[in-house]
Amino acid sequence: MKITEVRVIVTSPSRNYVVVKILTDEPGLYGVGDATLNGRELSVATALQEHIAPLLIGRDPDRIEDIWQMLFRGTYWRGGPVLMTALAGIDTALWDIKGKRAGLPVYSLLGGKTREGALAYTHAGGRDCIEVEDDVRSKMADGFKVIRAQCAIPGNVGTYGAGGEAEAASARWASAEPGSTWGDGGPMPSVEQWEPGPYLRTIPALFAHLRNTVGNEIELFHDVHERLTPIQAARLAKELEPFHLFFLEDCIRPEHKESFRLLRQHTTTPLAMGELFHTRWECVPLITEQLIDYIRCDIGHIGGITEAQKIAHIAETFYVSTAWHGPGDIGPATHAANVHLDLSLANFGVQEMVKFPEVVHEVLPGAPTYQNGYLNVADTPGIGTDVNEELASKYPYERAYLPMSRRADGSVMDW
Ligand code: GCO
Ligand code: MG
């Protein structure tokens, strides 16, 4: 069997997605993957079209590991978000083909089910702790057993911040429901303001309020979004200890992994990290030194199922669980790949999910289904997602950026 064509489809049903469709010389046999990198979609599409697709024509799609090694090491330039997202799109599409050929869902090829569903988490947000409480209650009523809670911060502006329109946008973004703006898109990035002082005072108060009002049974956690210094993160994690978070997510920037040693020795709050990692080797020190409890890289930005399965197996050895990144800015094929892995891994922890708007289901059908706190995928062969190419062409690419952030003095801050 041979790869005959690699089609790269950029489409914007509510937001931009990059889809990889690999066709074979077996009539009707193709695989679909997702190669969406938020705000950098066309870089990945160009890398795929101009540099990667020509290398794949004529190759045997069954040889996933060999193709992975060739694209990662064999082409000399390696790593980084653009190339690893492109590689993830190819990898997922190849697993889809393998599953379809075998007549088996991908979770079966990965070792078979270890559970009946993947424990899912959703997002709750609001302009103050009362609004967050209301949102947490409504998510609990939807059956969620794990909920991420974010709150606008008095004195800060924008996502997680406070103040008029930006505050409302923050609440919409944090809940990421269908119809929301999902990251404030727009032709130019929105610029927010963020200061650590008000943030560090507000978040412990938020969780004190939530524990007092919604109780201890619901699992709650919080995403810091890489904004704190190690010692600020240690203070926050320590102050949150009485509220028993499921985990504290992405506390510090991803560059200097050794900083996790400082953070870890100060707190028993479980730690999760990884959505900005692009290779296994970034994850390994945090796992082998047991500096985190959950590895939560993005399958769609780290080279796909092949790489994520290796990371998960290393993590299992060190009692680290998985919590793959699952925001609205990666496509249904990556969300489905997440769940195929979740269902097969012994050390699966929790899975982030979003509810896609109806138009995404029409253009990119087959996203995982949610029921009473758990996610599942169909037991059909392959990954289970597809692309309606005719419909996709009706939603052309629209330039969009992630928001940016600055300190009160005007200097650059991590968004
Ligand atoms: C999460 C994330 C995201 C990212 C987004 C960037 O935990 O879901 O932090 O929402 O901000 O994926 O493109
Ligand atoms: Mg996050």
Side-chain angles (χ1 to χ4, degrees), residues 7 11 48 54 102 148 153 160 169 202 278 298 319 330 356 406:
R7 239 174 250 171
T11 178
L48 282 162
R148 186 187 87 175
I153 309 295
Y160 305 106
T202 303
H278 303 113
D298 189 315
Y319 310 125
I330 54 172
F356 286 107
R406 289 186 183 267

Side-chain angles (χ1 to χ4, degrees), residues 125-128 131 152 156-176 180-182 184:
R127 284 169 293 189
D128 56 33
E131 278 194 14
N156 284 353
V157 180
T159 302
Y160 305 106
E165 274 304 300
E167 196 178 64
S170 162
R172 282 201 307 275
W173 178 86
S175 62
S180 75
T181 55
W182 284 17
D184 298 334

Side-chain angles (χ1 to χ4, degrees), residues 110-115 117-119 246-247 271-272 283 286-288 290 292-297 299 305 307-324 338-351:
L110 298 174
K113 277 191 183 178
T114 60
R115 54 182 51 80
L119 180 67
F246 190 80
F247 57 61
L271 302 173
C283 307
L286 297 184
I287 294 171
T288 56
Q290 295 181 305
I292 54 171
D293 303 279
Y294 292 86
I295 182 73
R296 55 180 316 288
C297 34
I299 292 184
I305 293 171
E307 182 75 346
Q309 195 190 30
K310 290 176 187 176
I311 293 165
H313 288 171
I314 298 167
E316 187 196 345
T317 316
F318 297 91
Y319 310 125
V320 174
S321 302
T322 64
W324 310 126
N338 282 340
V339 178
H340 281 283
L341 269 162
D342 299 341
L343 293 177
S344 67
L345 291 170
N347 57 327
F348 161 71
V350 73
Q351 181 58 57

Side-chain angles (χ1 to χ4, degrees), residues 148 223 225-226 249-250 275 296 325 352:
R148 186 187 87 175
D223 184 359
H225 224 248
E226 303 100 5
E249 174 177 328
D250 290 350
E275 67 183 58
R296 55 180 316 288
H325 191 212
E352 180 180 24

